[in-house]
Amino acid sequence: MSSPAAARFDRGHTDDLMTFLAASPSQYHAVANAAERLEKAGFRQLAETDAWDASTGGKFVLRGGAIIAWYVPEGAAAHTPFRIIGAHTDSPNLRVKPLPDTGAQGWRQIAVEIYGGTLLNTWLDRDLGLAGRLTLLDGTERLVNIDRALMRVPQLAVHLDRSVNTDGLKLDKQRHMQPIWGLGDVHEGDLIAFLEDEEDLERGSVAGWDLMVHSIEPPAYLGRDRELLAGPRMDNLLSVHAGVAALAAASTAGKLDHIPVLAAFDHEENGSQSDTGADGPLLGNVLERSVFSRGGTYEDRARAFAGAICLSSDTGHAVHPNYAERHDPSHHPRANGGPILKVNVNQRYATDGSGRAVFVNACERAGVPWQTFVSNNSMPCGTTIGPITAARHGIQTVDIGVAILSMHSARELCGADDPYLLANVMLAFLEN
C-alpha cells in the first residue's frame, strides 16, 4: 500500500482494536470509549436538549448505546452533503432480567434473557464477568464492569448425556442458560446490592439496570505467525473502532467538500427499532439539526441528504474451511484479503452497482485489496443497518465489512490485517 490514506493505519491499529474490545464489554462502554477518543481529537459533545450553533469543528451526540459524530469543515454551506460511516455497537449475548436473583438445588444463579442470535454453546463453561449501565434514583447513570470470573454457565457432563457427541447439543434457552454465581439460598436483591457495594453506592440507590455478561478472556493474536485475531464483540465493535479512527483522522485532512459522519447505533442485533437504533429518528434528527443550525432551509436539507453517501460497515462471513459448501461456490472471502463488499439483490444489503463504484474507488485510493460476499442461494441472508438507512433517510448506502469466522459467538475470529485495511478504506472514503 503506497497511498497517503493507506499509510495512516497499520498493524498498530489492530493492537489498539484489542484494547478497545477489552475496554468495551457493553455498548455503553463502547460509546463512552469512542467519545473519549473523539474528545482527544478535538471533538466536543453536544446535548440534544440544547440549542446548536453554526460553529465548525468536531461534534458528537450520545444517547444510550449510540453515538453520532460529525466534523463541520471551514466554509461548509448549509447544503453541504454528508459522508457517513454506519455501524452498530451491540453484540449478541446474555442480558440480566428485571428480577435477576434465582437458583435451584443449592446453587445461586442469575436470570438472563437471550439477546440477538447468539451461538448459545459458546457461552458454556466460560468464566464470565458482568457489565452495563446502572440508573440511580436521581436519574444519573453509572457504567459498571465486573471484569473477573463472577459467573459461569455449566455444561452437562458427557456421562449424563451420552448422545451429545452423536446427536448434537440441544440447549433450552430458559432452562439451560442461567449462569451460576455461588452457593446457598436465593435472596431477592442480592445481585444489585452486590453491584452497589462494588461501585461504592448506597444500598437501594439503584433504580434500573441494563446489564449483560461477557467473557473475561482478553483478545489475542492467534496462529503460528500471529496473522489472526481472536476476540469478543468484533461484530460489530471492529467497525465502530475503525470508524472512530477514520473520522478523527479525516478531521485533520484539510479542505473537505462534505461533512464526514460516524453513526454507531444500538439494537441492530434485534431489528434496530428503538430510539437508539438505525430504524429510529436519531441519525435523521442530528443531520437535520446540523443543516438548520448553519442557517439551512428544508431545501438545503433535501440537497444535503440527496448528495449523501453511507458506508454501512458490519462483519460478514469468511469462507469456513470445514463448511465450504455453505458458501456461494464462486464467492469465498478470505481472512486478510481486505474488506468485503456485501451484495444481495433482494436488498438484505443495500449495495448496488453505483455503490460498488464508490467502494472500489475508496479501496483504490487507499491501496487496499477488496473482496465480494454474496450468500449461497440455498441459505437465508442476514441483513444490516444498510437497507434501513437507505429506506428511512433516502441516502445512497453501500454495505461493506470485514470477513470473520464464528460470527455471533462469544469469541470471534478475523485476519489481523483486515481491521486496519478497513480503517484505511473508511478514511479514503471520508477524505474524498
Side-chain angles (χ1 to χ4, degrees):
M1 295 181 295
S2 58
S3 75
R8 303 287 280 276
F9 302 117
D10 54 22
R11 193 63 170 264
H13 176 90
T14 305
D15 295 336
D16 189 63
L17 170 62
M18 296 168 71
T19 300
F20 186 79
L21 292 173
S24 304
S26 76
Q27 66 270 42
Y28 310 110
H29 290 82
V31 299
N33 290 325
E36 181 180 6
R37 289 162 180 254
L38 289 172
E39 285 180 334
K40 290 180 179 178
F43 286 65
R44 60 187 177 91
Q45 183 176 355
L46 300 184
E48 292 185 82
T49 53
D50 291 344
W52 294 0
D53 59 34
S55 61
T56 58
K59 310 173 185 184
F60 65 89
V61 165
L62 299 180
R63 185 193 289 185
I67 181 170
I68 310 293
W70 66 104
Y71 179 79
V72 181
E74 292 286 344
H79 62 268
T80 298
F82 301 99
R83 286 241 166 170
I84 306 164
I85 299 293
H88 68 88
T89 61
D90 59 318
S91 300
N93 57 17
L94 312 179
R95 304 284 177 98
V96 175
K97 288 184 175 180
L99 298 176
D101 299 291
T102 187
Q105 308 302 322
W107 296 97
R108 299 171 68 194
Q109 295 174 277
I110 302 300
V112 297
E113 188 173 2
I114 310 302
Y115 178 81
T118 186
L119 284 172
L120 297 179
N121 64 294
T122 67
W123 291 92
L124 302 178
D125 297 332
R126 287 186 183 272
D127 295 336
L128 302 173
L130 185 67
R133 177 178 68 175
L134 301 175
T135 304
L136 308 187
L137 286 168
D138 63 5
T140 59
E141 296 176 352
R142 178 79 66 90
L143 295 185
V144 59
N145 181 13
I146 311 300
D147 197 31
R148 60 179 175 83
L150 181 66
M151 57 185 71
R152 184 181 179 93
V153 183
Q155 188 171 189
L156 185 64
V158 68
H159 313 78
L160 304 178
D161 185 7
R162 296 288 184 178
S163 65
V164 66
N165 289 326
T166 55
D167 297 340
L169 178 64
K170 297 179 176 62
L171 294 171
D172 183 283
K173 293 179 180 179
Q174 180 62 39
R175 292 186 296 123
H176 299 152
M177 297 306 298
Q178 311 307 312
I180 61 172
W181 75 308
L183 299 171
D185 297 331
V186 176
H187 299 287
E188 185 177 346
D190 269 1
L191 177 64
I192 301 307
F194 162 75
L195 293 175
E196 288 170 338
D197 290 344
E198 288 284 313
E199 293 297 306
D200 293 324
L201 297 170
E202 290 186 13
R203 287 289 182 93
S205 61
V206 173
W209 52 88
D210 302 280
L211 299 168
M212 57 209 72
V213 306
H214 65 275
S215 172
I216 64 170
E217 186 179 4
Y221 286 113
L222 185 146
R224 185 194 66 180
D225 300 318
R226 293 162 54 88
E227 72 268 48
L228 300 171
L229 175 65
R233 300 175 295 280
M234 286 195 282
D235 179 9
N236 186 33
L237 294 188
L238 187 158
S239 295
V240 174
H241 175 262
V244 170
L247 179 61
S251 70
T252 67
K255 184 173 176 56
L256 297 171
D257 60 2
H258 55 268
I259 295 173
V261 180
L262 170 67
F265 302 100
D266 198 357
H267 300 128
E268 189 273 347
E269 298 293 358
N270 63 3
S272 295
Q273 292 185 324
S274 71
D275 70 322
T276 53
D279 204 18
L282 182 58
L283 176 61
N285 286 349
V286 168
L287 298 185
E288 286 180 349
R289 291 185 69 179
S290 175
V291 170
F292 297 150
S293 68
R294 285 176 279 121
T297 63
Y298 182 82
E299 183 72 11
D300 293 314
R301 180 260 186 219
R303 294 174 66 187
F305 277 54
I309 307 174
C310 175
L311 286 189
S312 164
S313 182
D314 204 344
T315 54
H317 301 292
V319 61
H320 198 300
N322 300 335
Y323 301 92
E325 73 281 0
R326 302 294 183 99
H327 300 264
D328 182 88
S330 58
H331 296 78
H332 283 178
R334 301 179 182 275
N336 289 334
I340 55 174
L341 179 71
K342 302 164 77 170
V343 179
N344 180 265
V345 295
N346 294 299
Q347 288 298 290
R348 302 293 285 173
Y349 304 130
T351 305
D352 61 11
S354 176
R356 174 189 169 107
V358 170
F359 174 70
V360 172
N361 189 284
C363 289
E364 289 186 351
R365 286 199 309 272
V368 168
W370 60 278
Q371 310 175 81
T372 305
F373 171 83
V374 296
S375 289
N376 186 307
N377 285 331
S378 301
M379 299 286 170
C381 180
T383 190
T384 68
I385 66 165
I388 295 171
T389 302
R392 183 171 182 84
H393 306 294
I395 290 175
Q396 180 185 12
T397 303
V398 189
D399 272 297
I400 67 166
V402 161
I404 70 171
L405 292 182
S406 306
M407 187 185 295
H408 287 195
S409 169
R411 195 167 178 84
E412 297 161 325
L413 184 72
C414 75
D417 295 342
D418 284 328
Y420 71 79
L421 296 178
L422 175 67
N424 284 323
V425 172
M426 288 181 174
L427 179 55
F429 169 75
L430 293 180
E431 283 187 334
N432 294 275

